[in-house]
Amino acid sequence: MGAIIGVLYAGGRSGKEIRSFVEEHIVTRDDGIKNLYAKRASLLKWLKAVRLSWTGAGLLQADSFLRYLIEQMDVTRFEDLKIPLRVVATDFYSGESIVFDSGLLFPALKASMSIPGVFVPVEHDGRILVDGGVSNNLPYDILLEQCDLTIAVDVSPTREMVDADPPSIIDATLGMFDLLVEKVTKAMIEKHPPDIYFNPQLVGIRILDFDKAEDVFKQAEAALPKLKERLTAV
């Protein structure tokens, strides 16, 4: 998701425009029948976009969604973006971080979001690539030499025990992914801290909870004053 938002922003869309784009493709609490009818085409595109995969390499395919997204942007390559962007994926076999900053956007986006076991891995240039979060979920370190000020925004979900029951298979799988990401990120921050580390507490949000975009917006907005305070102090 970070790569997708990055492409939208680097392609020239403002934060407000990105939020409107997201809300156009989900059902919000404020949507009445009239709004749902007006959004029906976008909602159907979203439902058709992420589909089940029968290859055994993952549960979901997101090719249609990514192609639809790129069509909305009128860009196909990194070189077409208005702001320089780097996207991170992970070599499944070596564990190495693979950084995309040129060429076609599609393979970079697809690889960066390929959570192992959920989305189908990507074959690219002789490598099998999976989600960049496996090796580097907060990749501010690849920009340290090019930036005067580095702000690392960590939106990893905050885990809470809501009951005593064991997690489901999906919750357990995604929870273990969260734990792995958290440990990798913590080790990197300790070794090479950014100028500003910002970690809004996102409670009740799991990796694939796309329908909870409103909750993410509200919780993130509540944390913005802290970020502004940090920026003022620099």
Side-chain angles (χ1 to χ4, degrees):
M1 186 54 66
I4 291 173
I5 298 300
V7 165
L8 288 170
Y9 190 76
R13 294 207 180 197
S14 66
K16 185 177 181 179
E17 290 172 331
I18 294 173
R19 180 168 182 166
S20 296
F21 178 79
V22 170
E23 291 176 342
E24 180 185 340
H25 292 78
I26 63 173
V27 177
T28 69
R29 296 186 182 93
D30 297 329
D31 281 336
I33 298 299
K34 185 177 180 180
N35 288 343
L36 291 176
Y37 184 78
K39 293 177 11 176
R40 66 192 186 284
S42 297
L43 291 172
L44 287 173
K45 283 183 179 295
W46 167 250
L47 291 174
K48 293 178 181 178
V50 180
R51 60 182 178 82
L52 287 174
S53 168
W54 306 106
T55 65
L59 295 175
L60 301 173
Q61 282 268 21
D63 297 46
S64 297
F65 170 70
L66 293 177
R67 289 195 174 95
Y68 167 65
L69 176 72
I70 291 173
E71 287 174 4
Q72 302 305 302
M73 293 299 303
D74 293 325
V75 296
T76 58
R77 305 178 64 86
F78 279 87
E79 292 80 2
D80 300 329
L81 299 173
K82 297 180 180 179
I83 300 173
L85 176 71
R86 294 182 179 180
V87 170
V88 179
T90 302
D91 185 310
F92 178 77
Y93 289 103
S94 71
E96 176 187 1
S97 288
I98 306 299
V99 180
F100 291 86
D101 58 8
S102 62
L104 293 172
L105 290 166
F106 180 78
L109 289 176
K110 186 178 178 183
S112 184
M113 66 180 288
S114 294
I115 301 171
V118 179
F119 289 98
V120 178
V122 176
E123 296 183 41
H124 183 70
D125 286 348
R127 297 176 182 265
I128 303 298
L129 304 178
V130 295
D131 193 299
V134 175
S135 58
N136 191 349
N137 193 55
L138 196 64
Y140 65 86
D141 59 316
I142 64 176
L143 300 173
L144 290 176
E145 295 181 359
Q146 287 77 37
C147 297
D148 296 324
L149 179 69
T150 307
I151 305 173
V153 182
D154 186 354
V155 292
S156 299
T158 302
R159 294 186 305 278
E160 284 191 338
M161 182 180 289
V162 294
D163 53 47
D165 294 330
S168 65
I169 293 175
I170 294 296
D171 286 340
T173 301
L174 296 179
M176 289 303 295
F177 184 80
D178 286 341
L179 286 170
L180 170 63
V181 165
E182 186 178 296
K183 289 185 179 297
V184 171
T185 300
K186 183 178 179 180
M188 185 176 69
I189 290 174
E190 290 177 351
K191 186 175 182 180
H192 299 294
D195 295 302
I196 295 178
Y197 173 70
F198 181 57
N199 180 214
Q201 299 299 298
L202 301 179
V203 180
I205 309 295
R206 299 180 301 178
I207 291 177
L208 299 179
D209 283 345
F210 301 121
D211 60 318
K212 294 184 178 179
E214 280 187 288
D215 294 331
V216 173
F217 285 135
K218 288 179 180 179
Q219 293 186 46
E221 285 172 347
L224 284 180
K226 292 183 179 179
L227 177 57
K228 292 179 180 178
E229 183 180 332
R230 297 287 304 278
L231 288 169
T232 302
V234 174

